[in-house]
Amino acid sequence: MSGLNPQQAAAVAYRSGPLLVLAGAGSGKTKVITEKIVRLIRDDHLAPAKIAAITFTNKAAKEMRERVGKLLRAEAMEGLTVCTFHALGLKFLQIEHEAAGLRRGFSIFDADDTSGVLKELLPKGAKPDVLDDVRQLISKAKNDVLSPEAAMACALSPREREAAEIYAQYQRRLTAFNALDFDDLIRLPVSLLSEREDLATVWRERLRYLLVDEYQDSNPAQYALVKLLAGSRGMFTCVGDDDQSIYAWRGANPENLNQLSRDYPNLRLIKLEQNYRCAKRILRAANALIANNPHEHLKALWSEHVEGEPIRVFECRDDEHEAERVAAEIDLIAKKHKLPWSEFAVLFRGNHQSRPLEKALQLLRIPYHLSGGTAFLDRGDVKDTLSWLRLVANPDDDAAFLRAVSSPKRDIGSTTLARLGEAAGKHHESLMRAAERIEVLKQLPARASAALDDFVHLIRRLRQLSNVLTPADLCRRLIEDSGLLAEVKATSRDDSLFQRRKGNLDELAGWLEAARGGGGPGELAAQLALLSHSDRDEPGNAVRLMSLHGSKGLEFRYVFIIGVHEGSLPHDASLDEGRVDEERRLMYVGITRAKELLHLSYPKRAKRFGEVIKNEPSRFLNELPAKELHWVGRDAEKDAERREDVASATLARLAELFKD
């Protein structure tokens, strides 16, 4: 196995039982998974359709599929499943919709849809934080594979009991809409596979080998899904790193790594400890930091890379001074070494910390890309179009109906919709079905009745067109015929804004063009609902600004971590909840993104609620080996070298200005 180190080769070669690969940061885990897929197909003659590789992001799935494609002919990997947990759940339910009690073309509710339904179910006047609490409690119950009845039995507080009651009502509402939410995409397959051994047997035959990436990020429902699909044979490879488990706040359970050995006593463990990313000094610092966390399986990462420069630590006056120092350092290094801006990343604990950075970078004319802006699929015009697509695919999708019938505006107000809702409830049918009834239309004001009738006929016509047009062409036709494009034009203050918004709609059609598989607009809309902004994040040649959580899986030559002080990193909320270990893992992830040089900084003072407070350096700085650090301003000899570099860079910049 060319290009693999002994541990990687051993992980690829072991294909006769359950395997856990503990893969340290930068140890080549994706290479192991892709190579293993190739060996399963080439050497074991396992049909690609019998293999499923599961990732946590669409971006990771795309990269993995591309890597496999470079090693195999296209026809040799036909039928191979490489997707996220949610996409696998969607595939399962599209095949087994009858067993799940769903009609073909079911809808997937996004966060806004879910919030809208829950808001209706909560008492009038419920505050946003109550809504958030209830939504999170229901999501947690689903991720723990609890039914509404089980959630009620487990409830310990009045708020949890209230959430369990609303959970039951919420599920009844979803059933009426022929809809699911994201959590159902895992919960429902787990429930079905648990209850029906015949179904489990069919799917274990369908998927004979499973490979799961980033296993430390799995929640209880995802763990249960893998276990049910693998069965007692345990033909799987799970790859993970307990030191990079940073998503407990959204239900991830790093204990799942340890649970594997209890559920599968014959589990083989292989550690990948050679790091191919970081300079030795950075790696030593990372190892020293994470050694402060408890470990069931110890790892000792090592590297054959160069020693590297000391880690630079900046103590700054305030947030603005910190941002200015970071921007100046990036400018200095880029100019000195003639580097593209994409070699740099600035990482932070909270998104609000990016604001001073943006200003400082703008002043130096340094291009930057801020990750985590408004997701493409969350833009209003795009969501409007998707609601039309969903309704065309599934006339019983009430959430899609309510958005589509109001986008663009027509003579259908809230009073009309309330009457329509009463009629739908009386006949136990969807809003669309109620709107198709002549007797219902006759009860409405003439203008509203005519507008609603036009809307119904338009949806019917688009449904007919969906049988003959490609999804992309249907989308383009829908945008025109619905009046959405005209509405965009009418509400855009100038042509440049119109072109930008129209470009979003064109891009959506392009996504449909590129979407895999058939199944009509419903299935394609469902696939699009699983995509996230990060999956389409193309920053180009720009400095990356992102959260530490968002940096997972990425690497850069030069990394700056800002706000390394108590209350920020580790975060106050995590300290209150006793989650210092997870914050340390977050710091570890940030450090191990750096290939050549790492900068850490913090402001000595900060404004909070109009009051200036003093910041204490993070405890994590004290946990890093002192010999690996250069505290800028405390070492006269090293500081002198830096002053020469700064002076040279300043002269170079002045020369550029005079050229202009």
Side-chain angles (χ1 to χ4, degrees), residues 39-101:
R39 300 291 172 180
L40 285 164
I41 296 170
R42 275 186 187 166
D43 299 354
D44 299 355
H45 307 293
L46 189 61
K50 301 281 188 183
I51 303 169
I54 307 169
T55 66
F56 273 82
T57 67
N58 291 288
K59 187 176 180 180
K62 183 184 175 193
E63 181 189 349
M64 196 173 290
R65 180 174 283 279
E66 286 173 350
R67 288 203 191 186
V68 174
K70 289 176 182 177
L71 300 172
L72 290 173
R73 300 185 318 276
E75 58 270 23
M77 55 184 290
E78 190 173 343
L80 175 69
T81 297
V82 184
C83 65
T84 64
F85 268 107
H86 289 96
L88 180 63
L90 174 62
K91 179 180 178 179
F92 176 96
L93 292 168
Q94 285 171 339
I95 294 170
E96 307 293 352
H97 62 276
E98 289 184 7

Side-chain angles (χ1 to χ4, degrees), residues 68 100 117 139 194 223 244 274 294 332 418 427 431 457 469 508-509 527 545 607 615 631:
V68 174
V117 173
S139 179
S194 301
Y223 182 93
Q244 296 188 73
Q274 183 174 358
L332 169 66
H427 294 283
L431 293 170
H457 279 88
L469 294 179
L508 178 61
Q527 291 286 351
L545 309 183
K607 281 186 181 176
N615 291 325
W631 286 77

